[in-house]
């Protein structure tokens, strides 16, 4: 088949918000060696014996709060995005959705490509800033499956795109649409990572050795910490923000040994300092999900109000918007980066 397959890859979601499905999803997610970096036997004991049994009921309650009549917001936004992108690209492309964990699975998307004999594959991990636990895991898994094929088509990966000018402009427009100038402070909240994951990019040296919060250079261009700060600097420039107008922070931490400052601490601190109006932006997420809808939109909102804040708003993500479809179309048609399976 002289046709190009495009796979949009996202993290995934449980099949339902019920405990059994959440438990199944978490086992797959946390069982990934790029998520919890320890020997497989120890990881399995930790995940199946401790984390999943205790975390599943709580996560189930949260998923039930975001679940809609259409199902998981992350899933149906992603499905809509896939369908719109298919229309935009036309019949010479076959656009598929592959979740790294859960359904529709990346494995099934790859099997369809092999079965239908596509001549070319474009993988698009939907993570603006590279991290081993997100983009790295998705790409590695896809390569692992494809390398087993007798015939391997031309393959291309659309990598991190935090510095794509049109991507920055999409978030800039969403921020300005909420009249950002009327807020006392803007919080840029990114998903957290263990410090060990971040330092592994620098041969286990700390980010301070590479000026990661100030610049992108040859040594930190794939450092998640550095690219989050770079994303913020570009948005701040577009919005004419001064350094005191905004804060960069990290959410969803599991322990104190994760990237800081922690978003919940910053939200509370700003409220206690007398900040009355706050706007939260999450440029690490292109699809709204549990972390944006519940953690930011519900938990952080309540935290801000409980400590004296008066107005809290958060910027919705790109989801399945037409301008995001246009950007993806441009990335697919015009970008030329090729990746080989070794």
């Amino acid at each position: 088949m002289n046709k190009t397959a495009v796979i949009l890859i996202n993290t995934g979601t449980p099949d339902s918000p019920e405990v059994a499905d959440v438990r199944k999803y978490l086992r797959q997610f946390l069982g990934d060696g790029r998520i919890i970096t320890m020997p497989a036997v120890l990881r399995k004991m930790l995940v199946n014996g401790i984390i999943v049994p205790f975390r599943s009921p709580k996560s189930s309650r949260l998923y039930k709060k975001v679940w809609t009549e259409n199902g998981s917001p992350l899933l149906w936004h992603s499905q809509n995005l896939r369908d719109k992108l298919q229309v935009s690209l036309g019949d010479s492309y076959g656009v598929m959705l592959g979740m790294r964990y859960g359904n529709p699975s990346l494995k099934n998307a790859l099997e369809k490509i092999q079965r239908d004999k596509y001549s070319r594959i474009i993988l698009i991990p939907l993570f603006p800033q590279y991290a081993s636990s997100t983009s790295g895991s998705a790409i590695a898994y896809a390569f692992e499956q494809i390398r087993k094929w007798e015939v391997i088509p031309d393959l291309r990966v659309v990598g991190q795109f935090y510095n794509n000018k049109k991507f920055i402009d999409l978030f800039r427009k969403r921020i300005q649409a909420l009249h950002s100038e009327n807020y006392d402070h803007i919080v840029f909240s990114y998903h957290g990572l263990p410090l060990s994951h971040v330092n592994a990019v620098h041969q286990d040296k700390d980010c301070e050795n590479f000026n990661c919060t100030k610049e992108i250079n040859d040594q930190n261009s794939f450092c998640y910490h550095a690219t989050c700060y770079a994303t913020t600097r570009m948005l701040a420039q577009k919005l004419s923000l001064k350094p005191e107008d905004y804060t960069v922070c990290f959410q969803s931490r599991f322990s104190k040994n994760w990237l800081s400052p922690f978003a919940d601490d910053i939200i509370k601190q700003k409220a206690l300092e007398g900040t009355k109006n706050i706007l939260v932006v999450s440029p690490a997420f292109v699809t709204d999900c549990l972390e944006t809808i519940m953690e930011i939109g519900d938990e952080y909102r309540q935290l801000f109000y409980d400590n004296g804040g008066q107005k809290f708003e958060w910027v919705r993500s790109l989801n399945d918007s037409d301008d995001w479809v246009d950007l993806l179309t441009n990335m697919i048609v015009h970008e030329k980066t090729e990746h080989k399976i070794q």
Side-chain angles (χ1 to χ4, degrees):
M1 179 185 291
N2 187 22
K3 194 171 178 179
T4 298
V6 176
I7 310 182
L8 303 176
I9 308 173
N10 216 324
T11 303
T13 182
D15 291 333
S16 84
E18 300 304 321
V19 173
D21 283 328
V22 173
R23 186 183 301 120
K24 178 182 177 182
Y25 172 76
L26 289 177
R27 281 177 178 159
Q28 186 183 7
F29 173 54
L30 297 174
D32 185 344
R34 284 179 179 256
I35 301 293
I36 297 181
T37 52
M38 61 172 55
V41 173
L42 294 178
R43 181 173 63 252
K44 186 174 182 179
M45 292 172 60
L46 176 65
V47 170
N48 295 335
I50 299 175
I51 298 178
V52 170
F54 286 95
R55 188 172 178 82
S56 296
K58 179 182 177 182
S59 294
S60 173
R61 289 192 293 272
L62 294 175
Y63 275 112
K64 286 177 180 178
K65 290 183 178 181
V66 303
W67 222 258
T68 72
E69 61 182 12
N70 295 318
S72 161
L74 183 142
L75 178 57
W76 56 263
H77 277 311
S78 298
Q79 291 171 328
N80 288 342
L81 179 66
R82 175 201 61 200
D83 295 346
K84 286 185 174 184
L85 186 59
Q86 180 66 75
V87 172
S88 177
L89 288 171
D91 293 340
S92 59
Y93 291 84
V95 183
M96 303 167 202
L97 178 63
M99 298 298 187
R100 177 62 184 90
Y101 319 102
N103 295 304
S105 71
L106 178 54
K107 183 175 186 292
N108 286 346
L110 290 167
E111 287 175 350
K112 176 176 173 53
I113 291 169
Q114 183 187 26
R115 184 173 60 251
D116 292 347
K117 302 186 186 312
Y118 280 81
S119 60
R120 191 163 181 253
I121 305 172
I122 301 177
L123 302 175
I124 309 181
L126 296 175
F127 310 104
Q129 303 84 12
Y130 176 87
S132 174
S133 55
T134 54
S135 301
S137 177
I139 296 166
Y141 180 83
F143 282 11
E144 179 185 343
Q145 301 304 308
I146 295 170
R147 75 190 324 146
K148 302 171 187 175
W149 299 358
E150 183 65 28
V151 176
I152 297 178
D154 290 342
L155 177 64
R156 175 179 151 217
V157 176
V158 177
Q160 59 180 355
F161 50 89
Y162 74 91
N163 54 353
N164 182 299
K165 292 180 180 179
K166 292 183 179 179
F167 169 75
I168 293 296
D169 204 47
L170 293 189
F171 265 97
R172 189 268 305 169
K173 289 178 181 177
R174 280 157 177 73
I175 295 167
Q176 288 184 328
L178 292 175
H179 303 287
S180 53
E181 68 277 5
N182 294 333
Y183 291 85
D184 300 328
H185 201 76
I186 298 179
V187 172
F188 291 92
S189 180
Y190 296 84
H191 199 289
L193 282 181
L195 293 175
S196 59
H197 285 207
V198 177
N199 294 340
V201 177
H202 312 301
Q203 292 75 51
D204 296 324
K205 294 182 181 178
D206 191 274
C207 279
E208 291 180 1
N209 293 287
F210 303 97
N211 210 24
C212 289
T213 62
K214 301 296 183 183
E215 66 177 16
I216 294 293
N217 53 55
D218 291 343
Q219 295 154 316
N220 67 14
S221 59
F222 281 91
C223 170
Y224 178 78
H225 194 209
T227 56
C228 288
Y229 271 88
T231 305
T232 304
R233 287 195 301 272
M234 287 184 280
L235 283 169
Q237 183 180 25
K238 288 281 187 180
L239 295 164
S240 300
L241 298 178
K242 300 185 290 293
E244 60 269 24
D245 294 333
Y246 64 91
T247 301
V248 178
C249 54
F250 300 89
Q251 63 185 88
S252 310
R253 72 181 186 272
F254 275 79
S255 79
K256 64 180 181 180
N257 296 317
W258 280 48
L259 285 172
S260 62
F262 302 132
D264 53 348
D265 289 345
I266 292 297
I267 296 291
K268 181 178 180 179
Q269 174 189 329
K270 288 299 176 183
L272 292 174
E273 289 174 352
T275 301
K276 298 302 180 185
N277 307 310
I278 204 166
L279 181 66
V280 182
V281 191
S282 310
F285 299 93
V286 298
T287 313
D288 283 319
C289 54
L290 200 65
E291 286 81 0
T292 59
I293 299 169
M294 281 305 302
E295 189 171 16
I296 294 175
D298 185 82
E299 295 173 17
Y300 290 173
R301 180 191 302 274
Q302 193 60 50
L303 180 64
F304 186 64
Y305 290 158
D306 287 347
N307 288 280
Q310 295 179 354
K311 183 180 180 181
F312 180 101
E313 187 56 87
W314 60 283
V315 176
R316 275 59 175 176
S317 198
L318 308 183
N319 294 319
D320 53 11
S321 61
D322 291 343
D323 51 7
W324 178 216
V325 173
D326 290 343
L327 174 53
L328 284 170
T329 300
N330 185 266
M331 290 165 66
I332 290 164
V333 172
H334 297 297
E335 300 261 345
K336 299 298 181 184
T337 305
E338 301 288 342
H339 292 251
K340 301 289 186 182
I341 298 180
Q342 303 299 324

